[in-house]
Amino acid sequence: MKITVIGTGAIGGNLAVKLRTAGHDVQVADARGPEAVRAEVLEAGFRAVEPAESVQGRDVIILAIPFGVAGQLADLFASVPDETVVIDTSNYYPGLLSEHIEAVDNGQVESVYTAEQLGRPVVKAWNAALAETQRTRGVPAGTPGRIAIPVAGDSEEARKVAMSLVDDTGFDPYDAGSLADSWRQQPMGPAYCTELTLDELPAALAAADPVKDRAVRDSMPERMAALPANPTVDDVVEMNRAAHR
């Protein structure tokens, strides 16, 4: 597939490398222009393209950008064909990684908000796994204990495309239903960054509770402060799991 990754931070950089390794035609972009693409991404051999070029003639566009800024790309996406699959990887951390957004604070599902701001449908994927999990713990299909990643979206065909790409990055994709249901994979529910298998993930999604999960999310600074210095991925995953025991 022809894939563009917009945003080259930890998540975007991981996905670009993984998907290129899987044989896809991958290019990278930054909404601020090619000069804003991280040097280490360019050193990995990717070509940085202008934002307007990056969204033309592509099968899939992956948004690896901070939550809440999708509206700044609405004009860019106005000419993107309906059949292009757009995947949102973002998460809302008000007061930490984002300013407070009233609609989301009042209960609007994160990726529903993103789709409205962008002006087109999106699929939610890769948001519920730590960047380091994505970088180091992908394994071939069929490997025992393979970590599963939920994928939500209103188009069955778009979900299937996103699920095939999740598989290509080394994780079992799980069909999590409509975009409205994607609140179950938002921070900090039982399915969020807890490294569950395909057998374990459905129950974790079903156990999500919007009030409790929001409280767990908002307590993250205190919980992170209780971790050892330089916490490992396992430390963070255990912290997330413990919040729901």
Side-chain angles (χ1 to χ4, degrees):
M1 288 186 172
K2 295 179 179 179
I3 300 171
T4 290
V5 179
I6 299 180
T8 56
I11 298 295
N14 285 341
L15 294 178
V17 170
K18 294 264 188 180
L19 293 170
R20 183 179 63 180
T21 300
H24 298 288
D25 171 5
V26 181
Q27 63 184 22
V28 297
D30 190 291
R32 297 165 294 180
E35 65 281 357
V37 173
R38 291 189 303 141
E40 52 265 46
V41 174
L42 299 178
E43 290 166 2
F46 289 98
R47 182 174 73 94
V49 298
E50 293 285 351
E53 178 187 353
S54 74
V55 298
Q56 298 303 315
R58 312 307 286 176
D59 300 309
V60 177
I61 301 171
I62 298 172
L63 295 178
I65 59 177
F67 184 81
V69 304
Q72 299 173 20
L73 304 181
D75 290 344
L76 186 66
F77 275 79
S79 62
V80 174
D82 291 343
E83 60 268 22
T84 301
V85 176
V86 180
I87 302 176
D88 173 34
T89 70
S90 67
N91 291 302
Y92 180 48
Y93 283 98
L96 292 175
L97 301 178
S98 173
E99 298 295 326
H100 279 274
I101 297 172
E102 184 177 3
V104 183
D105 287 341
N106 288 337
Q108 186 172 29
V109 177
E110 291 175 12
S111 283
V112 172
Y113 175 85
T114 294
E116 288 185 0
Q117 295 299 303
L118 197 63
R120 61 170 300 123
V122 301
V123 178
K124 184 83 161 185
W126 288 296
N127 75 296
L130 297 168
E132 191 65 7
T133 296
Q134 294 182 37
R135 189 180 72 84
T136 64
R137 298 191 172 179
V139 294
T143 302
R146 196 184 197 210
I147 296 167
I149 288 180
V151 178
D154 294 334
S155 163
E156 181 178 359
E157 185 58 36
R159 283 202 311 276
K160 286 180 178 178
V161 169
M163 290 173 69
S164 73
L165 296 179
V166 167
D167 189 29
D168 285 343
T169 60
F171 301 91
D172 278 336
Y174 177 77
D175 189 335
S178 71
L179 199 64
D181 289 331
S182 68
W183 68 269
R184 296 183 178 275
Q185 65 197 69
Q186 292 176 181
M188 290 285 298
Y192 181 81
C193 297
T194 47
E195 294 193 352
L196 304 178
T197 66
L198 201 56
D199 289 336
E200 297 167 326
L201 185 58
L205 290 167
D209 179 290
V211 175
K212 177 182 178 181
D213 298 348
R214 182 176 295 190
V216 174
R217 180 200 69 191
D218 292 345
S219 72
M220 176 169 281
E222 293 82 4
R223 293 185 298 113
M224 289 293 293
L227 292 178
N230 302 313
T232 66
V233 175
D234 289 335
D235 289 332
V236 177
V237 170
E238 173 56 26
M239 176 190 73
N240 293 339
R241 290 178 176 181
H244 297 282
R245 291 196 181 113

